[in-house]
Amino acid sequence: MALGDVGQLARLDAGVARALGARLTALDLGAAHAFVDDAPPQLATAFRPIRRYHLRGVDPTSIALKLWVYREPVPEDQARLALGDVPLEPLIEAGLLVRVDETLASPFSLSFSEGMFFFGDELGDGGDAVMALGLFTLEMMRATWCDQRVERVLDLGCGAGAVALYLAAVAERAIGTDINPRAAVFGAFNATLNGVANAEFRVGDLFAPMAGERFDLILSQPPFLPRPEGSIDATYMFGGPRGDELPLRALAETPAHLTETGRAVMIIQWGVFDDESVAARIRKVLPEDVDLLVLEAPSRSLDDAAIGDALTAYPGLGPAYEDSVLRRRAHYDALGCRSLVDTVVVVARTTARHGFTGTTRIERLEKGRCTRAHVDSLLAAHALASASDAALLDAHPSLPRGTAFVPEDEGFSAVFPGGALHERVPVTATAKDVLQLVAGARDLRAATKLFAQRHKVSASVATEQLLSFVRTALRSGLLELR
């Protein structure tokens, strides 16, 4: 199916759009959707008959799911049943529904989460599509969500506007921008659909539409896939021939648009090469007076990545899918890429003349593993780890609340409570003892005295060894600041 025409979408009466949003909320799509949730991409085609089986009912919720989430044509009388009191004709005039023979179908795809709804494109339709919810959209939102209000939030490369609309709840003003004009249309429509009045959407390349403006929060999941020769044109997908060209340009332009206490969070996948780390690559494009924190998930194989990326564009498989997999996999080899790593990149203003550069490895990005509290804690921990010995000695790092040490065949595992960045980390018996010593002492100055007594070393040796250990533990998340 070709991309739907968004030309009339902006002309839908705001009252009708809000009524549609209220109707979708009342239908409780999330509860009904649970048993027909999206299958893994490689099984999407095979899973379709089972999904149809579970959605065979003619109740309003099942009809709405078929019509907008799975884009299956339904008879007009069923569409009216799903809509309730929402008038059908204005939705047809706006292009939100189209007539196909004796049925109605949606040219757009509906995504929903956290009580909000987002219309966008089905990426498999080709062309310059606009994603409603990206793979890590919710993780990016969780990594920045805060209870206190902020003045201005920017969703850079906003797609259908989901992040901007989520964070509008804690911001005086939320702005989304995208180089694709379709994105601005979807963003504005989704704002009306969800009753969000303090968001606006602009069109332009990266920060071009925000010249001279600064923000308390900047969020982005820029296109980051390497583009092989002969690939389809897809603004949402490719970051350049190597993949990191656009993300690095976005990061380089970011500090000039942060307030004095501002922070940017970007979710980016990077190719892993032999020459330098991801953090070193990013630091080259940043000024000295910002902190850089990179949270790295385990690396992904190039084979898995080539398959997954091709499935996004060609979910129906077939010859085009196979050609895309082979083209992408060969391109990784030509680049000299060894693997891929998903990251959360945090850039924050600092009062120090030289900001720190730090990397912390985490188990995974999805399922709320990286929250605003985690990011705050790690920024503080990395700042302390980069401080002078005198400042560190006065500090009192602690184990994450609820940490337990479980004996293993070789040493121990530090087991962390639910919601922590890690589930368990192997440690030696010596490391366990030192961690417990540090956590139980009044501060690190007192801990060094205990360390010297326990290990029968001089005060200077104890200070050097303990502070080196603590710096590593802070940067890895084994120790934190309460």
Side-chain angles (χ1 to χ4, degrees), residues 3 121 123 125-131 178-183 186 232-237:
L3 291 180
D121 292 318
L123 300 187
D125 289 347
D128 217 358
V130 174
M131 283 190 285
D178 201 291
I179 197 171
N180 188 346
R182 290 179 68 86
F186 278 122
I232 60 172
D233 289 328
T235 302
Y236 68 88
M237 185 177 289

Side-chain angles (χ1 to χ4, degrees), residues 60-202:
T61 300
S62 295
I63 295 168
L65 285 170
K66 283 188 285 189
L67 184 59
W68 277 305
V69 177
Y70 299 113
R71 298 198 311 161
E72 294 186 7
V74 303
E76 184 172 322
D77 61 332
Q78 290 189 12
R80 291 184 183 276
L81 178 64
L83 288 169
D85 294 333
V86 181
L88 174 63
E89 285 70 21
L91 303 186
I92 296 174
E93 292 172 5
L96 202 59
L97 292 172
V98 296
R99 295 192 184 278
V100 179
D101 298 326
E102 301 298 319
T103 64
L104 290 171
S106 173
F108 309 121
S109 178
L110 176 67
S111 298
F112 54 90
S113 186
E114 308 290 331
M116 300 187 78
F117 300 90
F118 309 99
F119 279 98
D121 292 318
E122 189 72 35
L123 300 187
D125 289 347
D128 217 358
V130 174
M131 283 190 285
L133 281 178
L135 180 62
F136 294 121
T137 299
L138 294 181
E139 305 313 315
M140 186 162 54
M141 186 265 291
R142 291 184 181 112
T144 54
W145 186 270
C146 54
D147 292 331
Q148 70 223 33
R149 290 192 67 78
V150 295
E151 288 294 323
R152 290 163 60 80
V153 172
L154 174 64
D155 182 1
L156 185 70
C158 63
V163 169
L165 298 180
Y166 279 130
L167 291 177
V170 294
E172 295 300 320
R173 193 70 182 163
I175 297 174
T177 181
D178 201 291
I179 197 171
N180 188 346
R182 290 179 68 86
V185 176
F186 278 122
F189 176 77
N190 289 329
T192 305
L193 182 74
N194 290 284
V196 177
N198 61 328
E200 67 172 286
F201 295 89
R202 306 176 186 176

Side-chain angles (χ1 to χ4, degrees), residues 306-366:
I307 292 170
D309 297 343
L311 279 169
T312 299
Y314 304 103
L317 306 182
Y321 159 77
E322 183 172 344
D323 177 69
S324 178
V325 172
L326 296 175
R327 190 189 303 270
R328 291 167 193 269
R329 187 60 184 83
H331 188 61
Y332 285 127
D333 279 345
L335 291 172
C337 181
R338 294 190 289 110
S339 62
L340 299 165
V341 60
D342 294 322
T343 68
V344 178
V345 178
V346 184
V347 175
R349 283 288 183 188
T350 177
T351 56
R353 189 170 65 177
H354 299 286
F356 69 73
T357 300
T359 299
T360 296
R361 286 171 177 80
I362 61 177
E363 292 183 17
R364 55 181 179 266
L365 295 186
E366 71 276 10

Side-chain angles (χ1 to χ4, degrees), residues 139-332:
E139 305 313 315
M140 186 162 54
M141 186 265 291
R142 291 184 181 112
T144 54
W145 186 270
C146 54
D147 292 331
Q148 70 223 33
R149 290 192 67 78
V150 295
E151 288 294 323
R152 290 163 60 80
V153 172
L154 174 64
D155 182 1
L156 185 70
C158 63
V163 169
L165 298 180
Y166 279 130
L167 291 177
V170 294
E172 295 300 320
R173 193 70 182 163
I175 297 174
T177 181
D178 201 291
I179 197 171
N180 188 346
R182 290 179 68 86
V185 176
F186 278 122
F189 176 77
N190 289 329
T192 305
L193 182 74
N194 290 284
V196 177
N198 61 328
E200 67 172 286
F201 295 89
R202 306 176 186 176
V203 179
D205 181 24
L206 292 182
F207 289 96
M210 280 74 62
E213 297 182 56
R214 293 177 179 266
F215 300 87
D216 302 292
L217 284 175
I218 297 175
L219 302 100
S220 185
Q221 186 181 343
F224 48 60
L225 295 184
R227 182 175 184 176
E229 283 190 31
S231 296
I232 60 172
D233 289 328
T235 302
Y236 68 88
M237 185 177 289
F238 299 116
R242 241 173 74 125
D244 61 3
E245 292 89 343
L246 182 64
L248 287 173
R249 184 159 67 90
L251 285 161
E253 295 178 16
T254 291
H257 293 275
L258 289 173
T259 62
E260 291 185 0
T261 57
R263 177 183 303 182
V265 176
M266 299 188 185
I267 292 186
I268 304 170
Q269 182 185 95
W270 304 88
V272 177
F273 302 92
D274 291 327
D275 52 352
E276 61 185 350
S277 68
V278 170
R281 208 185 313 174
I282 298 171
R283 176 48 80 177
K284 286 181 178 179
V285 305
L286 294 177
E288 292 184 341
D289 62 344
V290 295
D291 291 330
L292 169 64
L293 173 64
V294 180
L295 308 184
E296 285 192 0
S299 61
R300 300 175 58 203
S301 79
L302 300 178
D303 291 346
D304 289 346
I307 292 170
D309 297 343
L311 279 169
T312 299
Y314 304 103
L317 306 182
Y321 159 77
E322 183 172 344
D323 177 69
S324 178
V325 172
L326 296 175
R327 190 189 303 270
R328 291 167 193 269
R329 187 60 184 83
H331 188 61
Y332 285 127

Side-chain angles (χ1 to χ4, degrees), residues 391-425:
L392 191 53
L393 285 168
D394 289 332
H396 179 208
S398 302
L399 289 164
R401 206 179 297 273
T403 300
F405 292 96
V406 178
E408 303 285 359
D409 291 339
E410 298 181 6
F412 294 82
S413 280
V415 180
F416 301 98
L421 276 173
H422 306 279
E423 291 180 358
R424 58 197 303 132
V425 175

